[in-house]
Amino acid sequence: MYQTEARQWCRAAAAALVTVLCAGAVACGSSGGHQNDRPAAQADGVPGPLSKARLTAASFTDGEKVGAFIASEYDLDSPFGDEYSARPADCLPFVSLKKGTRRYGAPVAEVNREVYRPDEPLQENTAVQLRSYAHGDAARVMKALGRAATACRDGFTEDRSVAEAHYLDARALTAPRTGDEAAAFRFTVRDAGGEQKHYEYLTVVRSGSTTLSFRTEIDSPEDVGGVPGSVIEDQWKKFRAATK
């Protein structure tokens, strides 16, 4: 919700600037995810945390076509890059995967991109974030998301330094059959004025020590069902090709 508002503000100020989180046999569960029983390093071929250079090579590039979308750098570093927190605290994993937040898992490196429709730059946007972790923290992030799916089903509050967003519910969706494990969610969010609602979608895929997260925001009350599948598929293919 606040990313959408920030995006609109930045685009209005900059005029020309348009910027801004499936292989393997798996079984989907009630937590909205799947998990492969194979050891992560053996299953994925990635023995440890990837450097930022390798994550960058595995990420979308500025201007790259992604189906009907276009990728760009994620440039909202300031003043919108402050950390997020959540109430109840168990819901923190739902907001801690956003850019600028390092309260959970302390990634070794991260790269952030935006994917948007060039014909509707303010309508549907997906923040794509690749993070590499050490010490098994990537798997812990996925477990924390599973716990949050239960604890935060009836909603939570996202806190920032100057504002807050009210999430009315969190619903697990069918996760893509990708990576070592994956989870997908839909959130119903009340706007700042408290009169309208819109949806946000979060899909997170873990591949070894790396998480690939996709957060889609829709600037309308329409429920589009989830993160665009083409965005997840294209990013996954690029990640696999760059990390073999």
Side-chain angles (χ1 to χ4, degrees):
M1 172 178 176
Y2 293 100
Q3 288 177 319
T4 299
E5 295 174 356
R7 232 183 272 112
Q8 294 170 336
W9 179 86
C10 286
R11 289 194 177 97
L17 180 64
V18 183
T19 59
V20 190
L21 157 203
C22 286
V26 297
C28 292
S30 60
S31 64
H34 80 259
Q35 184 167 5
N36 195 319
D37 291 334
R38 296 173 297 168
Q42 179 182 351
D44 184 67
V46 182
L50 301 179
S51 66
K52 184 169 184 177
R54 292 195 70 190
L55 289 183
T56 300
S59 300
F60 294 133
T61 58
D62 190 37
E64 181 176 351
K65 290 192 66 175
V66 184
F69 303 86
I70 297 292
S72 72
E73 299 284 343
Y74 192 116
D75 288 339
L76 293 181
D77 289 329
S78 179
F80 306 106
D82 51 315
E83 289 190 346
Y84 296 76
S85 62
R87 292 177 280 126
D90 286 345
C91 306
L92 178 59
F94 282 151
V95 303
S96 70
L97 293 171
K98 290 187 177 181
K99 178 174 172 55
T101 304
R102 304 180 183 277
R103 297 190 180 194
Y104 187 91
V108 173
E110 73 174 65
V111 173
N112 293 274
R113 298 290 185 260
E114 176 201 21
V115 177
Y116 63 93
R117 290 187 181 275
D119 53 337
E120 298 178 346
L122 298 179
Q123 182 70 15
E124 180 179 348
N125 296 269
T126 300
V128 181
Q129 180 187 76
L130 274 61
R131 278 183 164 179
S132 63
Y133 294 85
H135 314 300
D137 282 343
R140 294 188 182 96
V141 166
M142 301 305 294
K143 287 183 172 61
L145 284 169
R147 291 192 295 269
T150 299
C152 311
R153 181 177 176 83
D154 295 329
F156 60 96
T157 299
E158 174 190 87
D159 286 322
R160 302 186 66 184
S161 59
V162 296
E164 61 182 30
H166 298 286
Y167 287 71
L168 304 182
D169 60 39
R171 293 291 181 265
L173 304 177
T174 300
R177 296 177 176 269
T178 305
D180 297 318
E181 56 182 323
F185 308 93
R186 186 198 74 182
F187 308 108
T188 305
V189 189
R190 190 186 301 278
D191 69 7
E195 297 179 356
Q196 296 183 347
K197 303 175 185 177
H198 71 273
Y199 296 104
E200 291 183 8
Y201 308 90
L202 173 67
T203 294
V204 184
V205 176
R206 181 181 69 82
S207 179
S209 60
T210 303
T211 59
L212 298 81
S213 73
F214 307 84
R215 185 180 295 271
T216 296
E217 296 182 349
I218 307 296
D219 191 23
S220 79
E222 179 183 6
D223 182 358
V224 299
V227 175
S230 62
V231 175
I232 298 174
E233 182 178 358
D234 286 4
Q235 176 59 90
W236 173 248
K237 288 179 178 178
K238 189 163 189 176
F239 172 80
R240 291 294 292 156
T243 56
K244 284 184 178 179

